Amino acid sequence: MTLRRGDRGPEVTELQYRLREAGLYDGPMNGRYNQDVEEGVARYQYARNLESDGWGVYGPETRRWLESETTGR
């Protein structure tokens, strides 16, 4: 499942936890894919040279990498 700004729900909350674990997000765990989440995803992508999903979009490539490096808790 691809997530992007404007999306909401438990999948976004899990992403927020993973970004926090990676030191890329310090906002609320509210299940809202806002600008702060988008920027955290983009910083993660930039650091790992991930381009296929589009900047700030949590797509398959970004998800694979982030899930391999974090627990989501």
Side-chain angles (χ1 to χ4, degrees):
M1 167 185 256
T2 296
L3 300 171
R4 59 182 41 88
R5 192 194 296 204
D7 288 341
R8 295 179 178 210
E11 297 87 4
V12 178
T13 304
E14 180 185 333
L15 171 58
Q16 290 170 328
Y17 276 103
R18 289 183 185 280
L19 290 172
R20 177 170 284 173
E21 187 179 344
L24 297 168
Y25 177 75
D26 64 357
M29 302 304 185
N30 58 11
R32 295 180 181 174
Y33 202 122
N34 59 20
Q35 181 177 348
D36 292 337
V37 174
E38 183 179 69
E39 289 174 359
V41 170
R43 285 194 307 271
Y44 180 81
Q45 291 168 323
Y46 180 79
R48 283 149 186 83
N49 198 31
L50 305 175
E51 299 177 4
S52 69
D53 295 329
W55 293 119
V57 176
Y58 192 54
E61 181 182 37
T62 307
R63 180 183 296 267
R64 261 193 316 278
W65 277 78
L66 187 59
E67 286 182 353
S68 75
E69 297 179 356
T70 59
T71 64
R73 297 182 194 150

